[in-house]
């Protein structure tokens, strides 16, 4: 969507605050030995208390309030009671929701407890690359150039990117145009970011894989070559200067 009134900006701020706070509180709540379902139910309680509706449930009938992906899962992980989190797991929580007709999206990967499997370097790279990408975005910036930046920074850090997952417009629905904010350079993509538009920018930084495939459960995405992926995501408003980060309350950069 494009922000044209103060009321629209306020609506986006409210829903973005809801998803950001939910993500932060879920991350803080997660402990080794808990099931993904326990953490998801906790997130659902927060969303409901804030008057927000789970976007995956509302849009796709997803079997959870949020997406919780663990270790080799890239995204869209089902928060089941059989998924028991362990010390050192690479965990990703993605929270998106609707509130009063406005939609927002955010996510973040983190190491649960002690980093006994050495995932923190990957997580830190993903955070840093997202920060650089967001600071680069202004009205008129080419979407393809943001993809080039992400891909280049990933390679500098010794990683790859997932080439078939993308950030997207958001605001009046969960996924809007542009729907092709990829983590790689696509030279024929001439789309440019527009001032006052709302977009969800996300990284998919990978140790080995370069494409995401759907697993047999019909939801969970896994890498074509295995390995691990860290994802971080903010919803922002594009300006002529630094973007407005609507989901800053998730504290994924802290």
């Amino acid at each position: 969507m494009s922000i044209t009134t103060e009321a629209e900006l306020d609506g986006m701020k409210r829903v973005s605050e809801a998803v950001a706070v939910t993500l932060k509180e879920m991350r803080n709540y997660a402990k080794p030995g808990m099931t993904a379902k326990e953490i998801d139910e906790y997130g659902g309680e927060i969303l409901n208390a804030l008057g927000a509706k789970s976007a995956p449930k509302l849009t796709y009938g997803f079997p959870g309030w949020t997406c919780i992906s663990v270790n080799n899962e890239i995204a869209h992980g089902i928060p089941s009671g059989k998924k028991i989190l362990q010390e050192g797991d690479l965990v990703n929580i993605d929270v998106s929701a609707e509130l009063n007709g406005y939609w927002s999206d955010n996510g973040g990967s983190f190491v649960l407890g002690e980093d006994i499997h050495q995932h923190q370097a990957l997580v830190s790279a993903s955070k840093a690359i997202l920060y650089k990408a967001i600071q680069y975005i202004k009205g008129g910036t080419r979407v393809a150039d943001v993809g080039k930046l992400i891909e280049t920074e990933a390679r500098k850090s010794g990683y790859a990117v997932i080439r078939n997952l993308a950030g997207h417009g958001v605001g009046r629905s969960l996924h809007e145009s542009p729907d092709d904010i990829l983590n790689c350079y696509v030279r024929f993509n001439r789309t440019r970011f527009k001032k006052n538009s709302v977009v969800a920018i996300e990284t998919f930084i990978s140790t080995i894989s370069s494409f995401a495939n759907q697993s047999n459960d019909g939801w969970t995405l896994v890498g074509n070559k295995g390995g691990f992926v860290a994802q971080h995501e903010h919803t922002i408003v594009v300006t002529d200067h630094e973007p407005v980060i609507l989901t800053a309350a998730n504290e994924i950069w802290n």
Side-chain angles (χ1 to χ4, degrees):
M1 71 176 288
S2 180
I3 300 291
T4 57
T5 66
E6 282 297 321
E8 288 177 337
L9 181 58
D10 184 62
M12 282 308 304
K13 284 181 175 178
R14 288 187 64 195
V15 66
S16 297
E17 178 84 4
V19 298
V21 167
T22 301
L23 174 59
K24 181 182 74 171
E25 294 301 325
M26 289 176 71
R27 187 177 64 239
N28 292 339
Y29 180 72
K31 298 291 185 293
M34 286 184 174
T35 67
K37 185 175 178 62
E38 286 178 82
I39 299 164
D40 181 62
E41 290 292 343
Y42 180 71
E45 289 173 7
I46 298 171
L47 287 175
N48 290 334
L50 295 171
K53 298 175 183 175
S54 162
K57 272 187 179 289
L58 201 58
T59 307
Y60 304 114
F62 182 74
W65 301 100
T66 67
C67 300
I68 301 180
S69 308
V70 181
N71 292 329
N72 302 110
E73 300 172 342
I74 295 176
H76 304 166
I78 298 172
S80 76
K82 296 180 181 179
K83 191 182 290 184
I84 302 171
L85 303 188
Q86 307 290 336
E87 187 84 22
D89 277 351
L90 177 62
V91 181
N92 178 270
I93 300 176
D94 194 297
V95 182
S96 55
E98 180 273 338
L99 178 62
N100 297 329
Y102 296 95
W103 302 67
S104 190
D105 194 358
N106 71 163
S109 296
F110 60 97
V111 176
L112 186 66
E114 188 179 347
D115 186 26
I116 58 178
H117 304 301
Q118 287 74 56
H119 293 309
Q120 188 57 50
L122 175 64
V123 170
S124 296
S126 176
K127 289 181 183 182
I129 293 167
L130 179 66
Y131 182 83
K132 287 184 179 181
I134 286 177
Q135 295 304 311
Y136 184 77
I137 295 170
K138 297 177 176 62
T141 300
R142 285 186 62 187
V143 169
D145 288 341
V146 174
K148 185 176 184 179
L149 183 156
I150 293 171
E151 187 173 22
T152 300
E153 291 297 323
R155 284 177 178 169
K156 283 182 185 177
S157 300
Y159 298 113
V161 297
I162 299 299
R163 302 178 67 86
N164 62 333
L165 296 178
H168 52 89
V170 68
R172 287 298 189 179
S173 61
L174 181 58
H175 289 95
E176 299 178 349
S177 180
D179 59 1
D180 54 357
I181 310 173
L182 292 162
N183 280 200
C184 57
Y185 182 61
V186 181
R187 63 184 178 84
F188 55 79
N189 182 358
R190 303 196 179 278
T191 305
R192 295 180 183 270
F193 288 98
K194 297 178 181 178
K195 181 182 177 181
N196 298 325
S197 65
V198 183
V199 290
I201 305 298
E202 51 190 319
T203 52
F204 292 96
I205 310 303
S206 169
T207 58
I208 301 173
S209 291
S210 53
F211 289 92
N213 295 328
Q214 193 174 78
S215 61
N216 292 335
D217 65 18
W219 295 104
T220 308
L221 298 177
V222 295
N224 64 321
K225 297 178 183 177
F228 299 91
V229 174
Q231 179 260 16
H232 291 86
E233 176 181 23
H234 271 304
T235 290
I236 68 172
V237 180
V238 179
T239 75
D240 283 336
H241 306 287
E242 286 191 9
V244 177
I245 302 173
L246 295 173
T247 47
N250 64 28
E251 299 181 3
I252 59 173
W253 284 327
N254 288 12

